[in-house]
Amino acid sequence: MSNNPALDEKLLRFAAPALYQQMADIFSSYHIHPYDIHGSVIKNENGFDVTLRFSQSFSQSVSTQVSFDQAKNPDKDVVLFFEETAEKCKSLLISDYYKIIKL
């Protein structure tokens, strides 16, 4: 591991494909396209630190720790994390939409 955490950060899509697919499926059920979310992971000794960034400029973020097992086979905790994040993202997108309309 390098001293710069940004160099250790990998895209969720490639570092943990099963986790990415679960995220994409859940966000799709909320009518949010996977490209509206920037998912990244940092691998550590216990698993992955998962960070999801969203909003108009990807300024909002949420993070969680998942084990290697959860990354391969997402469980109910991972699903709950993605659902809560999708709900936050949806609310923010709706809020941003109404701000644009008022302009």
Side-chain angles (χ1 to χ4, degrees):
M1 296 253 187
S2 70
N3 292 335
N4 188 347
L7 295 176
D8 297 331
E9 195 172 39
K10 308 280 188 235
L11 290 175
L12 176 63
R13 184 177 193 167
F14 301 111
L19 204 57
Y20 175 82
Q21 188 59 51
Q22 183 69 50
M23 182 207 72
D25 292 345
I26 290 171
F27 276 75
S28 291
S29 71
Y30 284 83
H31 306 289
I32 300 170
H33 196 278
Y35 293 126
D36 291 329
I37 304 296
H38 177 76
S40 61
V41 298
I42 296 176
K43 188 176 180 180
N44 59 38
E45 63 275 350
N46 299 323
F48 294 106
D49 287 324
V50 178
T51 302
L52 300 179
R53 292 179 184 85
F54 53 93
S55 80
Q56 190 171 7
S57 61
F58 298 104
S59 59
Q60 301 291 318
S61 69
V62 292
S63 298
T64 192
Q65 171 72 33
V66 297
S67 67
F68 293 117
D69 212 27
Q70 287 174 311
K72 289 181 183 176
N73 300 307
D75 63 7
K76 63 180 178 170
D77 294 333
V78 173
V79 169
L80 182 63
F81 169 73
F82 286 144
E83 287 174 345
E84 289 172 351
T85 304
E87 207 41 67
K88 287 178 190 176
C89 182
K90 180 179 177 181
S91 296
L92 194 61
L93 288 171
I94 291 170
S95 174
D96 287 347
Y97 175 75
Y98 283 112
K99 286 178 189 174
I100 291 170
I101 287 178
K102 288 181 182 179
L103 297 175

